[in-house]
Amino acid sequence: MSKKSKFPPELDFIRAGRLPQKKSNESMEGKICVITGTTSGVGYQAAIRLAKAGAKIVMIVRNKEKAENLCAEIKTLSSYQPDYYIADFADLSQVKTATESILKNYPHIDVLINNAGVHMTRRKLTVDGHETAFAVNHLAAFLITSLLLKRMVESSPSRIIQVNSEGHRFKGLKIDDLNWEKRRYGGYRGYGASKTAQLMTVWELSDLLQNTGVTINAMHPGAVKSNIGTNNGKMYNFFSRFFIQPTLKNPVISGDAIYYLASSPEMNDVSGKFFNLTNEEIPAPHATNREIGKEIFQLSKKLVNLDNENVYEV
Ligand SMILES: NC(=O)c1ccc[n+]([C@@H]2O[C@H](COP(=O)([O-])OP(=O)(O)OC[C@H]3O[C@@H](n4cnc5c(N)ncnc54)[C@H](OP(=O)(O)O)[C@@H]3O)[C@@H](O)[C@H]2O)c1
């Protein structure tokens, strides 16, 4: 799929970023799509696009009021009643409870899109004692994916999409210091660590899901306008408003790309890949280290308390 690039893997985003976007016009009629973080930005656009294509949207979000507003909007676009489940991803017990409710209520799931994410400029630990970006961007998504794995297999053909980021290129993942106790925390590297961990587990899950009819891929949703980073205070927001936001694109492109990855027949058998919007891209070499990837996979199982569960026997 990926053509020979004149760029080294570190810079493959330049090649992939110049390619035209692929399109889909597949119906998603009645398909159950579980999406996290639909209350703004990328996730909002993905939910709207998939609802317009006929999907039933099941959201996991933290804000009830925003969820109600989005449900009202989706009802004007789709004949399927959207549903939402509340969970703060900085609290893994809430993520587990919401996912277990989804398992109880949906015997069939066609698409899982792990999108919710955060960028922190300061180190802050969650109630579970994890660095927040790592917990929200990686561990929560890992927990949801793991708990839904068997259901995705029972529902196959089905697809899992991890909304990742070119930010994985910032590096930052140190297996013996996931909580930044031995190093000074940096927002970009903290973000990079979480996205690298997520990518590494995509390769592992893709292998695990081989021959099950379930695909798992990761994508960068573009550099688009959203609320990301707005939790970081006035200075950040001032800088972002004048220097970052004007350079960003409309997040409609992210929704369109996620819809393509979720629906296109061209993606039927594609798994274990990283996409820049709709185009396959070579991830940064540090994120393809399978040895560390296996370690991070085992560690993630432990950190979400699933190391003794049989959820991975698919
Ligand atoms: N925007 C970009 O240019 C860009 C580039 C690369 C990757 N991404 C990735 O795209 C994904 C979506 O980000 P975005 O840019 O659309 O940002 P956003 O507008 O801030 O949306 C993030 C979503 O995640 C939810 N969320 C954040 N923290 C949460 C928590 N603790 N518990 C539950 N939900 C939480 C937010 O909920 P609330 O509405 O309640 O805050 C919101 O729905 C992220 O994974 C991000 O890393 C974005």
Side-chain angles (χ1 to χ4, degrees):
M1 193 188 251
S2 61
K3 297 206 176 90
K4 192 143 176 58
S5 173
K6 63 178 175 181
F7 295 102
E10 289 83 354
L11 298 177
D12 196 49
F13 64 93
I14 300 176
R15 177 198 62 81
R18 289 174 178 167
L19 297 172
Q21 295 311 316
K22 298 184 178 131
K23 303 270 176 239
S24 169
N25 53 15
E26 277 305 294
S27 168
M28 293 293 282
E29 190 63 32
K31 301 250 187 219
I32 311 285
C33 295
V34 176
I35 319 179
T36 70
T38 48
T39 45
S40 81
V42 171
Y44 167 82
Q45 294 295 340
I48 295 290
R49 185 65 192 86
L50 286 162
K52 280 183 181 164
K56 175 177 170 78
I57 306 297
V58 179
M59 324 169 210
I60 314 182
V61 295
R62 64 174 164 184
N63 185 306
K64 188 174 189 309
E65 196 184 330
K66 288 186 191 177
E68 292 281 354
N69 290 340
L70 180 53
C71 284
E73 188 178 349
I74 288 177
K75 278 186 209 161
T76 67
L77 307 168
S78 164
S79 46
Y80 294 95
Q81 163 87 29
D83 296 333
Y84 69 84
Y85 295 82
I86 296 288
D88 183 341
F89 284 23
D91 180 345
L92 292 176
S93 67
Q94 291 189 32
V95 176
K96 190 167 187 216
T97 303
T99 313
E100 283 171 349
S101 301
I102 287 175
L103 270 175
K104 207 160 72 193
N105 295 335
Y106 307 91
H108 186 96
I109 299 172
D110 296 283
V111 181
L112 165 63
I113 301 164
N114 283 300
N115 162 76
V118 71
H119 165 56
M120 307 289 292
T121 54
R122 289 203 182 86
R123 177 178 180 268
K124 187 177 170 203
L125 298 186
T126 65
V127 290
D128 305 302
H130 307 302
E131 188 280 313
T132 301
F134 191 77
V136 173
N137 300 353
H138 170 57
L139 290 179
F142 184 83
L143 176 58
I144 294 169
T145 308
S146 299
L147 291 173
L148 295 185
L149 219 48
K150 281 201 167 106
R151 183 60 43 85
M152 301 304 291
V153 172
E154 289 157 9
S155 310
S156 77
S158 57
R159 299 181 186 185
I160 303 170
I161 299 167
Q162 308 286 43
V163 178
N164 195 266
S165 174
E166 294 296 357
H168 78 274
R169 296 179 188 277
F170 299 139
K171 300 187 176 172
L173 184 68
K174 216 162 179 283
I175 207 122
D176 62 348
D177 191 23
L178 296 178
N179 266 347
W180 300 80
E181 278 150 359
K182 303 176 186 165
R183 301 169 285 167
R184 191 188 158 90
Y185 186 75
Y188 288 114
R189 287 190 308 142
Y191 185 75
S194 68
K195 296 292 183 179
T196 298
Q198 185 182 55
L199 267 187
M200 286 177 153
T201 53
V202 166
W203 322 141
E204 297 310 312
L205 287 166
S206 174
D207 280 359
L208 188 74
L209 291 166
Q210 244 178 28
N211 304 320
T212 61
V214 185
T215 61
I216 178 164
N217 291 293
M219 62 97 68
H220 167 70
V224 296
K225 289 187 171 64
S226 75
N227 286 338
I228 199 149
T230 52
N231 52 299
N232 291 311
K234 280 188 189 150
M235 276 292 282
Y236 181 96
N237 287 329
F238 177 82
F239 181 79
S240 168
R241 186 168 159 210
F242 291 103
F243 298 103
I244 303 175
Q245 292 292 326
T247 67
L248 300 176
K249 295 188 176 147
N250 188 321
V252 166
I253 61 168
S254 319
D256 286 347
I258 291 171
Y259 160 63
Y260 169 85
L261 297 174
S263 67
S264 172
E266 293 168 358
M267 291 297 299
N268 279 351
D269 301 316
V270 180
S271 191
K273 304 290 184 194
F274 177 63
F275 289 83
N276 182 330
L277 292 166
T278 60
N279 291 300
E280 191 186 330
E281 178 182 306
I282 303 168
H286 72 267
T288 60
N289 182 327
R290 295 296 301 266
E291 221 170 283
I292 297 180
K294 287 186 195 316
E295 273 187 68
I296 200 72
F297 186 75
Q298 293 308 329
L299 213 51
S300 302
K301 274 161 111 173
K302 225 182 187 159
L303 294 174
V304 301
N305 287 322
L306 288 179
D307 48 340
N308 292 319
E309 304 286 325
N310 68 354
V311 292
Y312 303 99
E313 288 160 23
V314 292

